[in-house]
Amino acid sequence: MSTFTTEQDDTLAMLRDSLARYLDDHHGFEQRLHALAKADDAPPPFWQGLARDLDLLGAALAEPQGGLGLGMAAHLALMETLGGALAAEPYLSTMVIGAGLLQRHPGAQADALLARIVAGQAVLAFAHSEPQSRYERDDVQMQLLREGDGFRLDGRKAVVQAAPWASHFIVTARSSKGLSLLVVPRDAPGLRLRAYPTRDGGRAADIAFDNVRLPADALLGIEGGALPQIERALDEATLAVCAESVGIMRRLLRDTLDYVRQRKQFGVPIASFQVLQHRLADMHMALEQAAALTASVGEIVDTASDDERARAVSSAKVAAAKACRAVGQGAVQLHGGMGMTEELAIGHYVRRATLIEGQFGPPAWHLRRVAKLRAAATS
C-alpha cells in the first residue's frame, strides 16, 4: 500500500504523464538516434527541456532545495518513464546519485550547485569505479592528500557514466582517514578524460587525475567518513535502474505483442499459437514481479536501516536482472532475426536491458551480498 497522500500520488502521476508526453514529442526513437550521434560533449537536447519546459528536475529534492519533497518515489516514477524512452542518462548520475549526495551534505557550495542542477545548468557524474574495483564499493585507490588549505587528488577512475556531458564530478578518494567525497569541476587543471560511447548509446569516460588541486570546500562532509553515504547512493542508484528496467521491459513487451498480433503464419496471427502465448505470459509475469518488488522496496528505502535497505535493494536488483533477461530474450526470439537489426527499436532496448543486468553488480554479486547480510544478522 502506498505511504503517500492522495495529493502526492496525483503529483507523481502528473509528473509521469507530463514527462511521457514530452519524450514522445522530443525524444522518439529516430530523434534519439540523431541526438546521441551528436551528443559528444553535452547531454541530449531533451535534457534542457526537463528543466526549462517541465521543471521536474527538483521533484525528488527537499523543498528548501527548490524541490517538491517527493524523494525516492519521484526518482522511481521518472526513471521508469525515462526507461521507456531510453533516456535515463544523465538523470541517474545527476539527480539520483549526484543531487542525492549534495542534499545530504548541505553547505554553500552544495546548495549553489543544486540550484544550478534544478535549472538545467549543471550535469553531474559520479566518479567512483576504478580499473581494479569491479563492484566492491570500498575498493578505492584514488589518493587524497592534504596540501596547504586544500587537497590534492591523484589516481584513475574507469567507466564513469555520463562523464563527457558533466560539468562537475563527485569523486571518491582515499586518505589516511578513510574514504571521502569531493566535488571537482570539469575544467580543473590536471583532469583528463578519455571519452567513448557505450553499447546502449550513452556516453562514458575513463578519467585521469594528476595533481588536481582543490580548495577545502570541495570536500563533502567529513574527511574519511564517506563510505556509508557511498553505499546509500549506490543502493538508491541500483533501485533507480530497476525502475528504469521496468519501463524498458514494458516497451519490449508492448512492441512484441504488437508484432505477434500482426505477423501471420499458416494464414493466422502467430499470437494465436498457444506456445507463444505461454512465452508471453512468462515474460509478463517476470516483468510484473520485478515492478512490484521495485515499488515495494521504494516505499521503505528512505526509512530502512542500512542493512535492511541493502538486503531489499539487492533482492529487487536480482528480480529485475532476471526479468530483463527473460523479457529481452523473449522479445528478440519472438521477433526472429528482425529483433537484432538497428532499424527496429527493440534491439536498442534489449541492449540497454542487458547492460542493466550487470550495472551496479550482477545477480550473483547481489545474492552473495544478501547471504552475507543475513548471516551477519543471525550470528
Side-chain angles (χ1 to χ4, degrees):
M1 181 178 296
S2 175
T3 58
F4 291 96
T5 66
T6 300
E7 181 180 355
Q8 289 170 320
D9 286 335
D10 289 345
T11 301
L12 287 171
M14 180 186 68
L15 291 174
R16 188 196 299 266
D17 292 343
S18 297
L19 177 57
R21 288 194 299 270
Y22 184 85
L23 292 172
D24 284 343
D25 293 338
H26 296 86
H27 199 69
F29 179 62
E30 295 296 333
Q31 291 167 303
R32 173 183 181 272
L33 293 180
H34 180 71
L36 287 177
K38 303 193 304 181
D40 289 330
D41 301 317
F46 82 89
W47 178 252
Q48 286 294 324
L50 301 189
R52 182 186 62 248
D53 300 332
L54 300 182
D55 195 25
L56 59 65
L57 292 184
L61 298 179
E63 292 182 10
Q65 276 100 29
L68 299 178
L70 296 174
M72 198 66 197
H75 287 323
L76 298 186
L78 297 177
M79 283 291 289
E80 180 178 337
T81 307
L82 290 165
L86 290 181
E89 286 288 4
Y91 187 91
L92 177 67
S93 64
T94 300
M95 302 310 307
V96 180
I97 302 177
L101 287 168
L102 289 174
Q103 72 172 340
R104 289 193 286 271
H105 296 90
Q109 178 184 233
D111 292 346
L113 188 50
L114 278 172
R116 292 187 60 197
I117 290 168
V118 171
Q121 299 169 355
V123 173
L124 301 184
F126 187 44
H128 175 62
S129 296
E130 298 183 1
Q132 82 292 336
S133 61
R134 298 294 291 169
Y135 305 109
E136 300 307 317
R137 296 174 174 185
D138 61 349
D139 188 357
V140 174
Q141 296 181 7
M142 171 83 73
Q143 293 184 349
L144 176 65
L145 298 173
R146 283 276 182 179
E147 193 169 80
D149 294 333
F151 299 97
R152 191 183 82 205
L153 279 177
D154 288 282
R156 301 291 184 271
K157 296 294 182 180
V159 197
V160 180
Q161 298 290 330
W165 301 335
S167 60
H168 296 76
F169 300 100
I170 296 184
V171 181
T172 57
R174 185 178 296 279
S175 69
S176 59
K177 296 182 179 180
L179 291 180
S180 299
L181 290 162
L182 301 102
V183 177
V184 183
R186 166 74 174 267
D187 59 359
L191 188 155
R192 292 180 291 110
L193 271 71
R194 184 178 70 85
Y196 44 83
T198 56
R199 283 292 297 150
D200 56 358
R203 294 293 187 276
D206 298 334
I207 309 177
F209 296 80
D210 295 316
N211 294 317
V212 175
R213 289 172 168 80
L214 301 169
D217 65 359
L219 183 69
L220 290 180
I222 301 171
E223 182 183 352
L227 183 57
Q229 293 300 326
I230 293 169
E231 292 275 8
R232 179 174 177 179
L234 290 174
D235 278 344
E236 291 174 347
T238 301
L239 191 62
V241 297
C242 292
E244 179 192 355
S245 75
V246 171
I248 290 169
M249 289 186 285
R250 291 200 191 284
R251 172 64 185 267
L252 284 170
L253 190 57
R254 187 192 76 190
D255 285 3
T256 303
L257 285 169
D258 289 344
Y259 177 75
V260 298
R261 286 166 178 162
Q262 297 172 15
R263 177 77 165 88
K264 290 185 177 181
Q265 277 188 339
F266 311 112
V268 297
I270 63 175
S272 64
F273 299 164
Q274 190 175 58
V275 67
L276 298 191
Q277 292 172 1
H278 289 169
R279 184 66 180 273
L280 289 164
D282 290 342
M283 293 164 62
H284 175 75
M285 289 300 298
L287 162 59
E288 292 304 325
Q289 287 171 357
L293 187 52
T294 298
S296 65
V297 175
E299 292 184 357
I300 59 95
V301 72
D302 286 332
T303 57
S305 68
D306 290 347
D307 285 353
E308 289 171 341
R309 181 196 69 232
R311 287 197 301 270
V313 168
S314 285
S315 298
K317 182 56 160 59
V318 171
K322 290 181 176 179
C324 280
R325 177 158 298 195
V327 175
Q329 290 182 352
V332 169
Q333 289 166 8
L334 291 174
H335 274 80
M338 294 175 57
M340 294 306 294
T341 61
E342 289 294 315
E343 290 76 17
L344 285 187
I346 185 171
H348 298 260
Y349 279 85
V350 170
R351 281 203 290 271
R352 178 59 190 144
T354 301
L355 289 179
I356 285 176
E357 288 185 51
Q359 192 170 4
F360 303 119
W365 186 89
H366 284 282
L367 287 170
R368 288 194 297 270
R369 186 188 192 205
V370 171
K372 289 178 183 177
L373 289 167
R374 286 178 176 171
T378 58
S379 62

